[in-house]
């Protein structure tokens, strides 16, 4: 059984690969990003199962899932994630993922899940899918209005005031005022620093 694991975190990739390599009858290939995975699917595919990290370079969210399913000729493709929410998991499953595997999954469950998905079944851990998600609000987020959060998101994504204004359907001068307020509230010297503070705080 040929399995492809694609994850940009070397430790995660190696750990999962090591777990699965100990199982009889499994042959493991690894890639560090989506392009590497696509390359292997073109050269060595189809795989009996492809595991893709949701947040690795080149994935673009669930776009990567759709591409990988085509590249793997419809054979099972599943999503791995350490950070994705239950909503993302549900969307992935609805989009045809063979399964959704949280990286916190115990080794035994992982091996069971891999065999289950390779057999054509859809896998999602019941506990992850049913437990209530606690909505925690970051202290910085509590200081900001919804509009300020939208402008800040634009800054984090590296957009100019003009681009943010167009996206949010605002006047450029209004965006400038929001940026000024954001810098004051976040204790930032400029817009770049405000974006860095937001990024480091994990707001986006």
């Amino acid at each position: 059984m040929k399995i492809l694991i694609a994850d940009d975190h070397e430790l995660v990739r190696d750990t999962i690969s090591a777990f699965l390599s100990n199982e009889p009858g499994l042959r493991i290939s690894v890639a560090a990003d989506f392009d590497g995975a696509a390359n292997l699917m073109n050269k060595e595919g189809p795989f009996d199962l492809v595991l893709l990290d949701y947040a690795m370079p080149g994935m673009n969210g669930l776009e990567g899932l759709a591409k990988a399913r085509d590249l793997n000729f419809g054979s099972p493709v599943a999503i791995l994630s350490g950070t994705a929410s239950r909503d993302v998991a549900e969307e992935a499953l609805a989009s045809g993922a063979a399964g959704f595997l949280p990286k916190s999954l115990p080794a035994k469950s992982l091996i069971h899940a891999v065999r289950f998905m390779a057999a054509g079944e859809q896998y999602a851990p019941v506990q992850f899918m049913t437990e209530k998600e606690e909505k925690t609000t970051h202290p910085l987020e509590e200081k900001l209005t919804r509009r300020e959060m939208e402008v800040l998101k634009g800054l984090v994504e590296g957009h100019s005031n003009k681009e943010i204004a167009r996206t949010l359907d605002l006047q450029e001068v209004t965006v400038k005022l929001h940026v000024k307020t954001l810098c004051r509230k976040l204790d930032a010297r400029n817009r770049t620093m405000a974006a860095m503070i937001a990024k480091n705080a994990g707001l986006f």
Side-chain angles (χ1 to χ4, degrees):
M1 197 191 291
K2 286 161 58 182
I3 313 282
L4 171 59
I5 300 162
D7 195 305
D8 60 326
H9 291 106
E10 196 176 350
L11 184 64
V12 173
R13 201 168 63 233
D14 290 351
T15 306
I16 295 174
S17 176
F19 278 147
L20 297 179
S21 297
N22 289 330
E23 283 294 293
L26 298 186
R27 202 168 95 230
I28 313 298
S29 300
V30 295
D33 55 25
F34 185 81
D35 289 345
N39 207 9
L40 282 169
M41 282 184 267
N42 278 325
K43 279 192 195 158
E44 300 174 22
F47 287 85
D48 295 291
L49 176 66
V50 175
L51 299 176
L52 299 175
D53 175 39
Y54 178 72
M56 72 180 166
M59 268 296 279
N60 298 326
L62 293 177
E63 262 180 51
L65 170 67
K67 284 184 196 164
R69 290 182 73 218
D70 286 342
L71 289 167
N72 206 37
F73 297 100
S75 287
V77 178
I79 296 291
L80 274 171
S81 180
T83 55
S85 65
R86 192 168 73 227
D87 288 348
V88 169
E90 284 170 354
E91 200 183 332
L93 295 169
S95 303
F100 181 88
L101 304 179
K103 290 181 185 177
S104 54
L105 206 62
K108 265 188 180 161
S109 302
L110 175 72
I111 290 158
H112 164 73
V114 162
R115 292 198 178 280
F116 194 69
M117 292 183 292
E121 301 291 338
Q122 197 176 48
Y123 177 86
V126 174
Q127 191 184 351
F128 178 83
M129 299 306 285
T130 54
E131 68 189 355
K132 282 193 165 58
E133 287 183 36
E134 285 179 35
K135 178 78 178 100
T136 53
T137 308
H138 195 282
L140 279 181
E141 206 174 328
E142 289 173 354
K143 286 185 183 180
L144 308 177
T145 64
R146 187 175 59 85
R147 183 62 88 196
E148 283 162 0
M149 283 293 287
E150 289 169 346
V151 172
L152 185 56
K153 187 172 188 283
L155 295 184
V156 168
E157 289 168 355
H159 298 310
S160 68
N161 287 350
K162 188 179 272 185
E163 288 168 329
I164 295 170
R166 199 164 54 230
T167 305
L168 299 178
D169 200 20
L170 295 171
Q171 295 293 321
E172 195 176 340
V173 66
T174 310
V175 173
K176 274 182 186 167
L177 284 171
H178 280 309
V179 171
K180 208 172 176 182
T181 309
L182 280 167
C183 287
R184 194 188 74 243
K185 286 186 176 181
L186 298 178
D187 205 14
R189 281 196 306 277
N190 52 42
R191 59 191 289 132
T192 310
M193 197 175 167
M196 275 176 65
I197 290 167
K199 222 171 182 180
N200 292 339
L203 282 180
F204 299 105

